[in-house]
Amino acid sequence: MKKIIVQKFGGSSVGSAERIKAVADICINTKKQEKCDLVVVVSAMGDTTDDLLDLMKQITNTPDKRELDMLLSTGEQVSIALLTMAIQKAGYSAQSLTGWQAGITTEPVHNKARIEKIETKQIKKLLSEDKILVVAGFQGIAQQEITTLGRGGSDTTAVALAVSLKAERCDIYTDVDAVCTSDPRIVEKTGRLKFISYDEMLELASLGAQVLHPRSVETAKYFNMPLRVRSSWNPENNGTLVIERTDGMIEGQRSVRGVALDRQQARLSIIGVPDEPGIAHRIFNELASRNVSVDVIVQCVSHDGSTEVDFTVKREEADRAKEELAKIAKQIGAKQACLDKTVVKVSAVGAGMIDQPGIASKMFKALGDQGINIQMISTSEIRISCIVQEADGEAAVKAIHNAFDLHEIKE
Ligand code: ASP
Ligand code: MG
């Protein structure tokens, strides 16, 4: 059997007829050079999905979920047809497939479905006819209904297809040349990573770096599918390879390799909490049963038998979470629940951090030197995060990036 490569092109890569022709060239070159079977996944052109949502809002803000999927899935249908025509026009055999035609079945929920299964028989048959296949990202089918995978879901379509087809790798083409050490819109001179581990990428993705959709990275990690992030404007560039472990791949690898800013945070506090065994369980158990997911948690040392517990939640859930917390406060005899929606989370990420003393202190010094107050701290094996005031967020990212000289990373 020939090797299979899956390539995914995001909305900006297929944003115009010119871009679609350029992408067709990339596909054809890959097919020629790698002598492979090729499956291409595309997003909707440019801002199509947002435009469709704007159109919808002129009619309703509370659409029926089924109809919303019906609407949003059309964007990808346009781009698959146009890209297929462009490949055909260049003299190559190609065929477009919607999600269901590609055999992608999801769980039966609308707007944010997970892929459950991919029946690859049809794809394999078409590949054996030497066709380049162009598959609509972000959509599938469940019980004969069109479903979508949530915003940014085309990455996941591509990775899931790559896994099901046992592809050699999955290339994710976007508008950046590589995964950078921070957001280039915040930090003027970022470094570039040649390799990054799934775990680091997951941290960066869920911390606000918008290169890859977190679920696609989770899927790639679970099945150990190598991903390559590269630019469709600069296809000769090898981009960044996302793999299980990067140690040993780079000489003198740094322990901190990225700084991310998560603006979707809010801080909740519950004050005057009776300091007794089981109380944290009661608070967080109640929150969980009310479907509130929490992130960074800090409990203060108690004074006079009472304590304060602070934690962060997603900002979009903050108002609801505050209401729930106020009810919980009453139940457990705490004084008060408070909400601050003006906080953000800055994180330094790197797989080598755990073996390296002094990383945290260097990060805190960088923030202190800029007069930035740290409200909360949390750590994992590969990450140190600080909650700071929103107004300090970008300065904090710059300060940390600078302290670790991340602009020097050119790998
Ligand atoms: N077109 C969808 C969106 O904009 C899916 C994707 O681009 O991955 O969210
Ligand atoms: Mg998009």
Side-chain angles (χ1 to χ4, degrees), residues 8 43-44 49 76 138 151-155:
K8 182 255 169 181
S43 294
T49 311
E76 274 69 15
F138 171 62
R151 296 303 307 272
S154 300
D155 290 348

PDB file of all heavy atoms in Angstrom, residues 8 43-44 49 76 138 151-155, ligand 1:
ATOM      1  N   LYS A   8      -4.127  19.597   6.053  1.00  0.00           N
ATOM      2  CA  LYS A   8      -5.290  20.433   6.374  1.00  0.00           C
ATOM      3  C   LYS A   8      -4.956  21.895   6.093  1.00  0.00           C
ATOM      4  O   LYS A   8      -3.871  22.374   6.430  1.00  0.00           O
ATOM      5  CB  LYS A   8      -5.663  20.234   7.844  1.00  0.00           C
ATOM      6  CG  LYS A   8      -6.889  21.023   8.275  1.00  0.00           C
ATOM      7  CD  LYS A   8      -6.536  22.203   9.109  1.00  0.00           C
ATOM      8  CE  LYS A   8      -7.719  23.139   9.313  1.00  0.00           C
ATOM      9  NZ  LYS A   8      -7.363  24.314  10.118  1.00  0.00           N
ATOM     10  N   SER A  43     -10.971  24.046   5.723  1.00  0.00           N
ATOM     11  CA  SER A  43     -11.934  24.862   6.474  1.00  0.00           C
ATOM     12  C   SER A  43     -12.737  25.692   5.485  1.00  0.00           C
ATOM     13  O   SER A  43     -12.434  25.722   4.296  1.00  0.00           O
ATOM     14  CB  SER A  43     -11.214  25.837   7.397  1.00  0.00           C
ATOM     15  OG  SER A  43     -10.518  25.181   8.397  1.00  0.00           O
ATOM     16  N   ALA A  44     -13.700  26.418   6.020  1.00  0.00           N
ATOM     17  CA  ALA A  44     -14.456  27.363   5.197  1.00  0.00           C
ATOM     18  C   ALA A  44     -13.540  28.521   4.795  1.00  0.00           C
ATOM     19  O   ALA A  44     -12.594  28.845   5.501  1.00  0.00           O
ATOM     20  CB  ALA A  44     -15.638  27.879   5.999  1.00  0.00           C
ATOM     21  N   THR A  49     -17.333  31.384   8.245  1.00  0.00           N
ATOM     22  CA  THR A  49     -18.132  30.869   9.360  1.00  0.00           C
ATOM     23  C   THR A  49     -18.642  32.028  10.222  1.00  0.00           C
ATOM     24  O   THR A  49     -19.807  32.047  10.631  1.00  0.00           O
ATOM     25  CB  THR A  49     -17.302  29.870  10.190  1.00  0.00           C
ATOM     26  OG1 THR A  49     -16.708  28.939   9.282  1.00  0.00           O
ATOM     27  CG2 THR A  49     -18.155  29.101  11.172  1.00  0.00           C
ATOM     28  N   GLU A  76     -17.739  24.916   4.536  1.00  0.00           N
ATOM     29  CA  GLU A  76     -16.736  23.950   4.093  1.00  0.00           C
ATOM     30  C   GLU A  76     -17.125  23.318   2.761  1.00  0.00           C
ATOM     31  O   GLU A  76     -16.267  22.902   1.981  1.00  0.00           O
ATOM     32  CB  GLU A  76     -16.544  22.868   5.156  1.00  0.00           C
ATOM     33  CG  GLU A  76     -15.544  23.194   6.262  1.00  0.00           C
ATOM     34  CD  GLU A  76     -15.975  24.289   7.226  1.00  0.00           C
ATOM     35  OE1 GLU A  76     -17.169  24.635   7.227  1.00  0.00           O
ATOM     36  OE2 GLU A  76     -15.106  24.803   7.959  1.00  0.00           O
ATOM     37  N   PHE A 138     -14.665  19.882  10.010  1.00  0.00           N
ATOM     38  CA  PHE A 138     -15.591  20.483  10.971  1.00  0.00           C
ATOM     39  C   PHE A 138     -16.987  19.853  10.956  1.00  0.00           C
ATOM     40  O   PHE A 138     -17.845  20.276  11.684  1.00  0.00           O
ATOM     41  CB  PHE A 138     -15.606  21.998  10.662  1.00  0.00           C
ATOM     42  CG  PHE A 138     -16.609  22.881  11.338  1.00  0.00           C
ATOM     43  CD1 PHE A 138     -16.633  23.036  12.721  1.00  0.00           C
ATOM     44  CD2 PHE A 138     -17.515  23.626  10.579  1.00  0.00           C
ATOM     45  CE1 PHE A 138     -17.525  23.907  13.317  1.00  0.00           C
ATOM     46  CE2 PHE A 138     -18.406  24.501  11.174  1.00  0.00           C
ATOM     47  CZ  PHE A 138     -18.419  24.646  12.550  1.00  0.00           C
ATOM     48  N   ARG A 151     -16.167  25.265  16.947  1.00  0.00           N
ATOM     49  CA  ARG A 151     -15.310  26.184  16.189  1.00  0.00           C
ATOM     50  C   ARG A 151     -13.869  25.677  16.151  1.00  0.00           C
ATOM     51  O   ARG A 151     -13.354  25.178  17.133  1.00  0.00           O
ATOM     52  CB  ARG A 151     -15.348  27.594  16.796  1.00  0.00           C
ATOM     53  CG  ARG A 151     -16.715  28.275  16.732  1.00  0.00           C
ATOM     54  CD  ARG A 151     -17.274  28.382  15.315  1.00  0.00           C
ATOM     55  NE  ARG A 151     -16.400  28.992  14.325  1.00  0.00           N
ATOM     56  CZ  ARG A 151     -16.329  30.295  14.071  1.00  0.00           C
ATOM     57  NH1 ARG A 151     -17.066  31.133  14.755  1.00  0.00           N
ATOM     58  NH2 ARG A 151     -15.542  30.756  13.116  1.00  0.00           N
ATOM     59  N   GLY A 152     -13.265  25.819  14.999  1.00  0.00           N
ATOM     60  CA  GLY A 152     -11.890  25.349  14.839  1.00  0.00           C
ATOM     61  C   GLY A 152     -11.784  23.838  14.650  1.00  0.00           C
ATOM     62  O   GLY A 152     -10.694  23.273  14.687  1.00  0.00           O
ATOM     63  N   GLY A 153     -12.921  23.187  14.422  1.00  0.00           N
ATOM     64  CA  GLY A 153     -12.948  21.724  14.415  1.00  0.00           C
ATOM     65  C   GLY A 153     -12.286  21.035  13.235  1.00  0.00           C
ATOM     66  O   GLY A 153     -12.079  19.815  13.259  1.00  0.00           O
ATOM     67  N   SER A 154     -11.922  21.790  12.205  1.00  0.00           N
ATOM     68  CA  SER A 154     -11.314  21.133  11.040  1.00  0.00           C
ATOM     69  C   SER A 154      -9.981  20.470  11.366  1.00  0.00           C
ATOM     70  O   SER A 154      -9.630  19.449  10.765  1.00  0.00           O
ATOM     71  CB  SER A 154     -11.077  22.142   9.916  1.00  0.00           C
ATOM     72  OG  SER A 154     -12.284  22.708   9.528  1.00  0.00           O
ATOM     73  N   ASP A 155      -9.237  21.037  12.301  1.00  0.00           N
ATOM     74  CA  ASP A 155      -7.981  20.397  12.715  1.00  0.00           C
ATOM     75  C   ASP A 155      -8.263  18.977  13.194  1.00  0.00           C
ATOM     76  O   ASP A 155      -7.528  18.037  12.889  1.00  0.00           O
ATOM     77  CB  ASP A 155      -7.335  21.156  13.892  1.00  0.00           C
ATOM     78  CG  ASP A 155      -6.788  22.509  13.491  1.00  0.00           C
ATOM     79  OD1 ASP A 155      -6.698  22.786  12.284  1.00  0.00           O
ATOM     80  OD2 ASP A 155      -6.454  23.289  14.404  1.00  0.00           O
TER      81      ASP A 155
HETATM   82  N1  ASP B   1     -14.920  26.846   9.704  1.00  0.00           N
HETATM   83  C1  ASP B   1     -14.955  26.437  11.071  1.00  0.00           C
HETATM   84  C2  ASP B   1     -14.603  27.616  11.965  1.00  0.00           C
HETATM   85  O1  ASP B   1     -14.291  28.683  11.488  1.00  0.00           O
HETATM   86  C3  ASP B   1     -14.062  25.266  11.335  1.00  0.00           C
HETATM   87  C4  ASP B   1     -12.594  25.530  11.174  1.00  0.00           C
HETATM   88  O2  ASP B   1     -12.203  26.520  10.595  1.00  0.00           O
HETATM   89  O3  ASP B   1     -11.813  24.700  11.628  1.00  0.00           O
HETATM   90  O4  ASP B   1     -14.640  27.463  13.155  1.00  0.00           O
END
